[in-house]
Amino acid sequence: MNAILLSGGKSSRFGTNKALESVNGRPLIEQIVQSLKNAFEKVYIIGNVKEYAFLQDVFFCEDIIPNKGPLGGLFTGLTCSDSDYNFLTACDMPFLTIGFFEFLKFQKKDYDVLVPEYNSYLEPLAAVYSKKCLPFISATLKMNQLKLKSFFPKVKVRIIKETIIREIGEPEKLFFNINYKEDVQKLEINLERSEKI
């Protein structure tokens, strides 16, 4: 199984490219890439590859269809990847753990989408997608339906219930994402606590 990492869009709420934000002295995206490399065969970075040339041992893919958001990024990643099943995440989710990755990897491959649920909402940016999704993603992109879940009714979706997620880790932390500058401070505090445990 490979990993697809969306390198981010305009980060309008954050103000600058949050993927390159320094957290405890290292760019956020570098830390997430290292975590993914520890768990998956290959890591594909989707987006403006020139900004991330400093990352090593990863594969870069520019968007096949530009300006289509995360769904367009997923389409590019699934097209580029040489694995049938691929984990998708974003550059602003730093607390996904090796335990969570391993849990997903060893699930029976009886799905097109394997997606966790938290607080009655699906977490499509911490989910596994099969290449079988590609024609359905393509169709929704052509209709300019850009929500990640737009094609879900057309494929076999298996939901991981929150009760199961809580056996792996705290979903409040696992699915924490950075939207604002003040979130970086929260991130640094949490990382310091994790290192002390």
Side-chain angles (χ1 to χ4, degrees), residues 3-14 16-23 26-36 43-48 51-52 54-55 60 69-70 73 87-96 101 124-126 148 174-180 183-184 187 191:
I4 298 167
L5 178 59
L6 305 181
S7 63
K10 298 174 182 177
S11 301
S12 54
R13 285 181 290 180
F14 194 78
T16 57
N17 184 351
K18 53 188 170 184
L20 296 175
E21 184 73 13
S22 179
V23 177
R26 293 170 63 207
L28 181 59
I29 193 170
E30 183 180 339
Q31 298 180 54
I32 293 175
V33 163
Q34 186 57 56
S35 177
L36 293 172
V43 178
Y44 291 82
I45 309 291
I46 314 300
N48 187 349
E51 292 184 284
Y52 310 110
F54 63 92
L55 296 170
F60 294 103
F87 176 74
L88 176 75
T89 192
C91 66
D92 61 355
M93 296 184 70
F95 289 125
L96 296 171
F101 299 148
L125 283 171
L148 263 175
L174 279 172
F175 305 128
F176 173 84
N177 69 298
I178 295 171
N179 288 315
Y180 303 98
D183 290 333
V184 175
L187 170 58
L191 285 173

Side-chain angles (χ1 to χ4, degrees), residues 24-173:
N24 291 341
R26 293 170 63 207
L28 181 59
I29 193 170
E30 183 180 339
Q31 298 180 54
I32 293 175
V33 163
Q34 186 57 56
S35 177
L36 293 172
K37 283 165 64 175
N38 290 337
F40 298 99
E41 294 293 322
K42 297 177 182 177
V43 178
Y44 291 82
I45 309 291
I46 314 300
N48 187 349
V49 300
K50 293 177 183 177
E51 292 184 284
Y52 310 110
F54 63 92
L55 296 170
Q56 297 183 341
D57 300 319
V58 296
F59 296 85
F60 294 103
C61 301
E62 292 195 20
D63 282 310
I64 295 170
I65 310 173
N67 304 316
K68 295 296 183 181
L71 186 62
L74 174 59
F75 179 76
T76 298
L78 288 178
T79 302
C80 291
S81 175
D82 61 5
S83 174
D84 286 336
Y85 289 87
N86 297 269
F87 176 74
L88 176 75
T89 192
C91 66
D92 61 355
M93 296 184 70
F95 289 125
L96 296 171
T97 64
I98 188 76
F100 178 70
F101 299 148
E102 294 297 320
F103 172 82
L104 295 179
K105 283 167 60 179
F106 290 107
Q107 292 298 299
K108 184 179 179 183
K109 303 296 189 295
D110 59 355
Y111 59 83
D112 299 320
V113 178
L114 179 66
V115 59
E117 183 180 59
Y118 169 51
N119 224 7
S120 300
Y121 290 96
L122 298 181
E123 295 286 346
L125 283 171
V128 180
Y129 297 85
S130 163
K131 277 183 174 280
K132 292 178 183 177
C133 296
L134 275 169
F136 304 102
I137 297 171
S138 178
T140 54
L141 286 171
K142 286 175 182 175
M143 293 185 288
N144 213 36
Q145 296 176 2
L146 301 184
K147 288 187 177 180
L148 263 175
K149 296 179 284 186
S150 296
F151 71 97
F152 280 18
K154 303 290 186 182
V155 298
K156 187 174 182 181
V157 177
R158 178 143 68 89
I159 298 171
I160 308 167
K161 295 296 183 182
E162 183 176 332
T163 51
I164 302 298
I165 297 297
R166 288 194 177 277
E167 295 176 10
I168 305 165
E170 302 172 18
E172 301 88 348
K173 188 172 180 180

